[in-house]
Amino acid sequence: EVQLLESGGGLVQPGGSLRLSCAASGFTFRSYCMSWVRQTPGKGLEWVSGISANGGSTYYADSVKGRFTISRDNSKNMLYLQVNSQRAEDTAVYYCAKGAGGIFSALNSWGQGTLVTVSS
Amino acid sequence: DMQMTQSPSTLSASVGDRVTITCRASQSISSWLAWYQQKPGKAPKLLIYKASSLESGVPSRFSGSGSGTEFTLTISSLQPDDFATYYCQQYNSLWTFGQGTKVEIK
């Protein structure tokens, strides 16, 4: 059974930083692209960042480009999102999600999410 | 930038109703479209991929159609478990979600 478990969320001040982590199990992690998707409380879904299976290619939404960095450690089955220069509008639940296959694909497994609150 | 527009934003329906949700892409995405269901406090769940392929384990009352820029999600006979918010998502170029359609009890 595929399991994705996010951690690292919390309260951060504007301009601050956090590192979100996602522990993956139940599948061959190194074979799949992964993404981060966020959801502002009470609002819709926003894709944030994606990374290829070997980590060689990374992708970002314009809203986070230059501030967020996605990475992965295939030896540890871990996905990360370094979030810097936090803004109030970055407050959201952040989900990690597994790609179904291929560089761009549907997201067929999701974690339960970790809440990031940006506030002074 | 790619834009995905869903309609309606809210849909009121009764158990047993046939329900259709539309998603339009601002440019052609071939068939690279997925549909997700999300319930309050839960992560999204993949229902349909490649516009019309049913994800394993998803009931057959869910179906998807379309290609290019216009797509639909149909629930043939709405069940109590189907009251939720539905999102379309393109993955032709990066990933973009629609704004969501809330299916509520009439």
Side-chain angles (χ1 to χ4, degrees):
Chain A
E1 179 192 3
V2 172
Q3 290 196 340
L4 300 169
L5 185 62
E6 302 94 337
S7 60
L11 178 64
V12 60
Q13 291 191 337
S17 299
L18 277 178
R19 189 174 84 155
L20 307 182
S21 300
C22 174
S25 62
F27 65 103
T28 306
F29 181 72
R30 65 180 180 273
S31 296
Y32 292 91
C33 298
M34 299 292 293
S35 279
W36 288 96
V37 176
R38 68 184 180 184
Q39 186 167 36
T40 304
K43 297 292 178 66
L45 300 168
E46 180 188 15
W47 171 79
V48 170
S49 183
I51 188 167
S52 62
N54 66 4
S57 297
T58 57
Y59 309 91
Y60 299 94
D62 287 344
S63 58
V64 307
K65 203 172 292 183
R67 299 189 299 120
F68 289 14
T69 302
I70 191 171
S71 62
R72 65 191 296 163
D73 185 338
N74 285 347
S75 69
K76 296 181 178 178
N77 289 355
M78 293 293 296
L79 176 72
Y80 303 102
L81 186 69
Q82 179 69 39
V83 296
N84 297 332
S85 303
Q86 290 273 273
R87 306 167 179 169
E89 55 265 35
D90 295 325
T91 294
V93 174
Y94 286 74
Y95 296 100
C96 73
K98 169 186 168 290
I103 188 62
F104 296 134
S105 63
L107 304 175
N108 64 356
S109 294
W110 297 63
Q112 85 293 343
T114 187
L115 176 62
V116 173
T117 303
V118 183
S119 175
S120 55
Chain B
D1 284 0
M2 178 73 72
Q3 304 290 331
M4 305 298 293
T5 304
Q6 288 182 233
S7 60
S9 297
T10 306
L11 188 159
S12 298
S14 302
V15 172
D17 284 353
R18 181 181 181 88
V19 166
T20 299
I21 300 168
T22 298
C23 178
R24 289 187 174 87
S26 60
Q27 56 191 272
S28 178
I29 56 170
S30 185
S31 296
W32 303 119
L33 185 103
W35 289 97
Y36 300 84
Q37 177 192 67
Q38 187 181 33
K39 296 180 179 178
K42 300 292 187 181
K45 173 187 173 184
L46 178 65
L47 299 176
I48 301 282
Y49 62 95
K50 209 174 178 185
S52 61
S53 297
L54 195 67
E55 175 71 351
S56 176
V58 174
S60 59
R61 63 181 179 271
F62 291 92
S63 63
S65 65
S67 66
T69 61
E70 189 151 339
F71 303 85
T72 59
L73 172 71
T74 299
I75 309 173
S76 60
S77 177
L78 198 64
Q79 298 301 301
D81 191 49
D82 301 339
F83 292 98
T85 300
Y86 294 84
Y87 295 91
C88 65
Q89 179 209 41
Q90 70 82 22
Y91 51 97
N92 177 67
S93 177
L94 301 183
W95 296 260
T96 311
F97 288 93
Q99 81 279 15
T101 295
K102 183 177 181 180
V103 176
E104 60 182 26
I105 300 172
K106 189 172 183 178

